[in-house]
Amino acid sequence: GYASSLVFLTYVISFIFRNRRKNSGIWSFFFFIITIFTIVATDINEYEFLGLFLCTILIPPFSLIGSLFIFSEISPDSVDYLGASEHQIVFLALLIPYLHFCIFVFVLWCLEVNFRKKSMRKDPVFRISPRSSGIFPNPEEPEGEDEDVQIERRRTTNARTIADFEKPVIIASCLRKEYTGKKKDCFTKRKKKVAIRNVSFCVKKG
């Protein structure tokens, strides 16, 4: 239950980020830090059982350790100390990770319905969306071109409006291609390398 709940929690969190694949390691480390911090906080908390129970309910990464801590509280010597009501809560504490799992499945389903309607229609079971092609409008205006380059660019622009039987099979108008370079270290941004800039040409059939 704990493993499943964290998997679905990470999937829910991934909707915040544009690049979902690169954040799994960060969130695994973040969950670990939260768990360690919560263990220390509950250890020094003066409310003890109530604080431990609330942390287990409200902090999903701590639910496994918290539920085991609560369950360990119930021993033959501590039944009288806890009382009848808390005695029942102790056994329900083992179900907390499964409760988190059900909540995150429902939240994930709502997010999928709202943000991934297209992929759900195509693949309702696994909901795997196709990769984006990464095609965007050219942000750069042509400038400083030679005369023959300008003539070819105008020809490619006009080629879109001619009849189908005369239209070229390939039309490239102000084509730009960028490649993402490698990072020098973890603190620097990836630099984009421009392979071609504002290339225009037509290719006729044959």
Side-chain angles (χ1 to χ4, degrees):
Y2 174 73
S4 302
S5 67
L6 281 195
V7 168
F8 280 86
L9 173 61
T10 307
Y11 196 6
V12 169
I13 292 172
S14 71
F15 276 83
I16 303 172
F17 300 95
R18 183 177 179 182
N19 194 338
R20 298 175 177 85
R21 296 187 176 184
K22 295 183 179 179
N23 294 289
S24 58
I26 296 175
W27 281 104
S28 298
F29 178 74
F30 186 64
F31 290 159
F32 176 75
I33 295 298
I34 287 179
T35 304
I36 298 299
F37 178 78
T38 311
I39 291 173
V40 175
T42 53
D43 190 46
I44 62 176
N45 186 14
E46 59 182 6
Y47 295 102
E48 294 185 357
F49 185 84
L50 180 61
L52 180 62
F53 181 73
L54 290 177
C55 287
T56 307
I57 287 285
L58 300 176
I59 304 177
F62 181 70
S63 61
L64 175 64
I65 296 177
S67 60
L68 292 177
F69 279 174
I70 293 174
F71 189 73
S72 65
E73 291 284 337
I74 186 66
S75 62
D77 299 330
S78 61
V79 172
D80 297 333
Y81 171 74
L82 290 173
S85 59
E86 291 182 345
H87 178 273
Q88 300 297 328
I89 293 175
V90 166
F91 293 97
L92 293 176
L94 295 178
L95 301 177
I96 291 176
Y98 297 96
L99 173 64
H100 288 160
F101 169 75
C102 295
I103 292 173
F104 295 141
V105 167
F106 176 74
V107 173
L108 179 61
W109 181 82
C110 295
L111 291 171
E112 294 277 5
V113 169
N114 291 326
F115 296 103
R116 293 186 179 173
K117 296 179 181 178
K118 187 176 180 180
S119 60
M120 283 191 71
R121 285 196 298 268
K122 291 183 177 180
D123 189 0
V125 179
F126 296 103
R127 303 184 180 101
I128 300 174
S129 57
R131 290 186 179 183
S132 60
S133 58
I135 299 173
F136 306 99
N138 190 348
E140 192 177 56
E141 290 293 331
E143 57 182 20
E145 294 178 332
D146 295 335
E147 185 177 354
D148 57 340
V149 177
Q150 293 178 6
I151 294 172
E152 183 67 18
R153 183 164 54 81
R154 285 194 293 268
R155 191 169 73 88
T156 57
T157 304
N158 296 332
R160 302 177 184 179
T161 59
I162 62 178
D164 289 340
F165 63 90
E166 296 179 354
K167 185 178 289 187
V169 291
I170 298 175
I171 301 174
S173 181
C174 292
L175 185 64
R176 177 188 176 96
K177 174 63 180 176
E178 295 179 349
Y179 291 94
T180 304
K182 294 182 178 180
K183 278 186 174 184
K184 292 183 179 180
D185 52 66
C186 60
F187 300 104
T188 58
K189 292 184 177 180
R190 294 176 182 269
K191 292 184 177 181
K192 293 183 177 180
K193 295 182 179 180
V194 180
I196 56 175
R197 179 183 284 113
N198 296 327
V199 174
S200 300
F201 62 89
C202 291
V203 178
K204 294 181 180 181
K205 185 177 181 180

